[in-house]
Amino acid sequence: MPLPYSELVMEHFQNPQNIGRIDNPDAKAIEGSPACGDMVAVYLRVDEETKTITDIKFESYGCASNIATGSIITELAKGKSLDEAKAITWEQASDALGGLPPIKTHCSVLAVEGLRAAIQNYEEKHGLVREQEATTEEVVRKRLCHVMNPSVGLDIIRTKLVKEISVNDGDVLVVLDLEPTHQFANNIREEITEKLANRQDVRSVEVCFDKQ
Ligand code: FES
C-alpha cells in the first residue's frame, strides 16, 4: 500500500527546490541516517558580513520524504541567518509539508541534521564556535558516527571500519580497517578530515589504512 503522502510532499518530491551542488561552497556536510542508511549532502554559500545563507543546495540519496524535506528546509533556510537556520526543526519542516507519516520521521530528521552539520562546518571553518569541548578520542569517535561507509550505508563506527583513534596534542590519527585502494577510501578520508580538521584545537588529521 502506498504511504499516505500529502500533496505538498508529492509536489516537493516531484519538483524539489535547490537540488544539486554548489561549486567551491563556503560549507558542506554529508549526513547519514542510522535508521535507514540513506545519506544527504548540503552545500552552503554564506555572506561573510551578515552571516546570511545566500545560496543552499542539497543532494539526497534518501526516499521521497527525505527529498521533500530537503526541498522545504532549503527553501526555509535561504536568506536566513545561520542562527535562524540552525533553529529550523524537523517538526517545522514536516508541518510545512502538511505532515509526514510517523514512520518517515527519521527522513526529515536526516535532512535537518544535514543542514545543521553544514552550518556547523561553516562555523568551525570561520572560528565562530564558542566554547568548543576539547577534542578527545571520545569526541572523535562521536564525530565519526556521522561519517558514512557508502559500501553498506551505515557509519564507519558501526561498521567497525575504525581500528584505532588517537589524539596527541592536537594531532589526530584515525586508522581504518580498509585497503587504501578501496573504491571509497578517498571519500571516507575526505569526510573524516572534513569533520575534524576545523576544530579549534586540532592541528592535523591523519587517516591511515591498515586492512588485516
Ligand atoms: Fe531513508 Fe527516508 S527511508 S531517508
Side-chain angles (χ1 to χ4, degrees), residues 8 10 17 19 32 52 77-78 87 89 100 104 112 114 119 132 136 143-144 147 163-164 175 189 200 205:
L8 272 167
M10 289 311 292
Q17 305 298 300
I19 204 131
T52 301
K78 205 185 273 184
T89 62
L100 283 169
K104 289 286 169 185
V112 170
I119 294 172
Q132 192 170 59
T136 60
R143 296 220 76 177
L144 297 187
V147 174
K163 275 175 79 173
E164 189 190 322
V175 182
R189 189 204 332 247
Q200 285 160 353
V205 180

Side-chain angles (χ1 to χ4, degrees), residues 7-114:
E7 268 179 39
L8 272 167
V9 172
M10 289 311 292
E11 169 63 24
H12 279 272
F13 168 51
Q14 283 164 346
N15 296 301
Q17 305 298 300
N18 310 307
I19 204 131
R21 63 175 66 185
I22 295 175
D23 290 332
N24 299 317
D26 295 324
K28 71 166 188 200
I30 298 177
E31 283 291 302
S33 167
C36 64
D38 290 327
M39 290 186 273
V40 67
V42 177
Y43 304 84
L44 299 181
R45 182 83 64 218
V46 178
D47 182 306
E48 217 175 321
E49 290 266 300
T50 59
K51 303 285 178 283
T52 301
I53 297 175
T54 54
D55 197 10
I56 177 166
K57 294 226 181 306
F58 79 103
E59 293 170 309
S60 168
Y61 306 92
C63 66
S65 296
N66 182 255
I67 292 169
T69 313
S71 172
I72 203 88
I73 57 158
T74 50
E75 283 293 275
L76 291 171
K78 205 185 273 184
K80 293 237 168 48
S81 71
L82 294 177
D83 284 340
E84 288 167 342
K86 239 190 309 192
I88 297 170
T89 62
W90 66 265
E91 288 96 334
Q92 281 170 339
S94 172
D95 286 352
L97 286 169
L100 283 169
I103 196 170
K104 289 286 169 185
T105 299
H106 72 270
C107 315
S108 51
V109 169
L110 173 61
V112 170
E113 281 182 350

